[in-house]
């Protein structure tokens, strides 16, 4: 698997806020205006192998081998949607906050056609478009399985804390971030979205 990771530094604009304390409802309203920002991005590549009889019966293997190696690439983006922040409380001069779940998008998954390696014996059919589409799907699933192993959520959380902390400080409060949620591998099943954001 190949991974290229990019972190996007942000210039934080405090949305025209003036210094002065606000109510919890007002703070929620101001937070909800922060746009969704994907601050961590990775280009991930996995290798998928295809073999055999394309479901037509093992007897075809008697006429020679039929193998293909397919690189599948995808762009993975992670951010924190601060408009979904609900777990926060104002207590005196402090605001206690727990970040919402990260938003993970996998997009632009595709086969690197110029890097495909196949070997099909002369008496065998070449791999069909349907089979190649299946390999693309298999590659997407493999990339999804690799995402939990990438260190993408932590820096996205750090960027979100920076943005939110600056906003809260500008309103006269001290931000206190509670322990960041820790995600297990099975949690990523619900966090990953393979549709375009």
């Amino acid at each position: 698997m190949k991974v290229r990771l990019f972190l996007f530094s942000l210039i934080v604009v405090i949305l025209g806020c003036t210094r002065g304390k606000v109510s919890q409802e007002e703070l929620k309203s101001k937070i909800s205006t922060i746009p969704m920002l994907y601050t961590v991005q990775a280009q991930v590549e996995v290798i998928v192998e295809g073999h055999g009889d394309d479901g037509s019966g093992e007897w075809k293997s008697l006429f020679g081998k039929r193998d293909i190696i397919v690189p599948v690439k995808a762009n993975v983006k992670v951010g924190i949607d601060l408009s979904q922040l609900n777990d926060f409380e104002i207590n005196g001069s402090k605001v206690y906050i727990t970040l919402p779940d990260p938003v993970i998008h996998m997009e632009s998954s595709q086969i690197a056609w110029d890097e495909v390696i196949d070997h099909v014996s002369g008496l065998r059919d070449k791999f069909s478009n349907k089979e190649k589409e299946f390999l693309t799907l298999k590659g997407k699933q493999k990339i999804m399985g690799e995402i939990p192993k990438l260190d993408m959520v932590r820096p996205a959380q750090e960027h979100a804390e920076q943005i939110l902390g600056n906003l809260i400080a500008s309103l006269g409060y001290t931000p206190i971030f509670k322990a960041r949620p820790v995600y297990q591998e099975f949690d990523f099943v619900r966090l990953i979205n393979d549709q375009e954001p």
Side-chain angles (χ1 to χ4, degrees):
M1 180 187 68
K2 295 181 182 177
V3 177
R4 286 188 289 173
L5 184 66
F6 305 92
L7 301 179
F8 298 98
S9 59
L10 302 174
I11 300 175
V12 180
V13 179
I14 306 300
L15 306 173
C17 297
T18 56
R19 192 171 183 83
K21 294 185 178 180
V22 298
S23 68
Q24 185 154 323
E25 291 73 21
E26 291 172 318
L27 179 57
K28 171 62 178 174
S29 177
K30 291 183 182 296
I31 290 172
S32 68
T33 65
I34 300 175
M36 176 65 210
L37 298 170
Y38 293 94
T39 56
V40 185
Q41 178 175 312
Q43 294 178 351
V44 184
E45 177 181 341
V46 298
I47 300 298
V48 179
E49 297 183 10
H51 306 281
D53 60 13
D54 69 7
S56 306
E58 294 183 0
W59 61 270
K60 284 193 174 183
S61 62
L62 299 174
F63 295 93
K65 292 185 177 181
R66 189 170 179 271
D67 303 301
I68 189 169
I69 298 175
V70 179
V72 180
K73 300 180 180 182
N75 190 49
V76 178
K77 301 194 297 186
V78 180
I80 307 292
D81 187 355
L82 294 178
S83 70
Q84 299 302 309
L85 176 65
N86 294 308
D87 190 355
F88 71 96
E89 179 183 1
I90 297 176
N91 188 344
S93 63
K94 298 178 181 178
V95 180
Y96 295 87
I97 308 145
T98 300
L99 292 177
D101 288 337
V103 178
I104 304 174
H105 272 285
M106 186 176 72
E107 59 184 11
S108 305
S109 57
Q110 57 186 339
I111 290 176
W113 294 106
D114 57 337
E115 300 176 29
V116 170
I117 301 173
D118 61 3
H119 174 76
V120 180
S121 297
L123 297 177
R124 301 296 306 275
D125 294 329
K126 292 187 175 181
F127 284 86
S128 66
N129 289 333
K130 183 177 181 180
E131 288 175 297
K132 290 177 181 179
E133 288 174 5
F134 173 76
L135 290 170
T136 302
L137 177 60
K138 189 176 178 181
K140 287 175 62 175
Q141 293 171 340
K142 191 171 182 179
I143 290 172
M144 287 183 182
E146 295 293 336
I147 290 175
K149 304 173 187 177
L150 306 177
D151 183 21
M152 298 181 71
V153 170
R154 177 189 55 79
Q157 291 170 322
E158 290 174 351
H159 281 99
E161 288 177 358
Q162 179 186 3
I163 295 168
L164 193 53
N166 287 342
L167 171 61
I168 291 171
S170 76
L171 297 171
Y173 290 97
T174 301
I176 306 294
F177 290 95
K178 297 180 181 179
R180 296 171 187 154
V182 177
Y183 300 97
Q184 305 299 324
E185 189 167 338
F186 59 82
D187 291 317
F188 282 78
V189 174
R190 64 180 175 81
L191 296 176
I192 297 172
N193 187 330
D194 64 350
Q195 302 298 317
E196 293 284 344

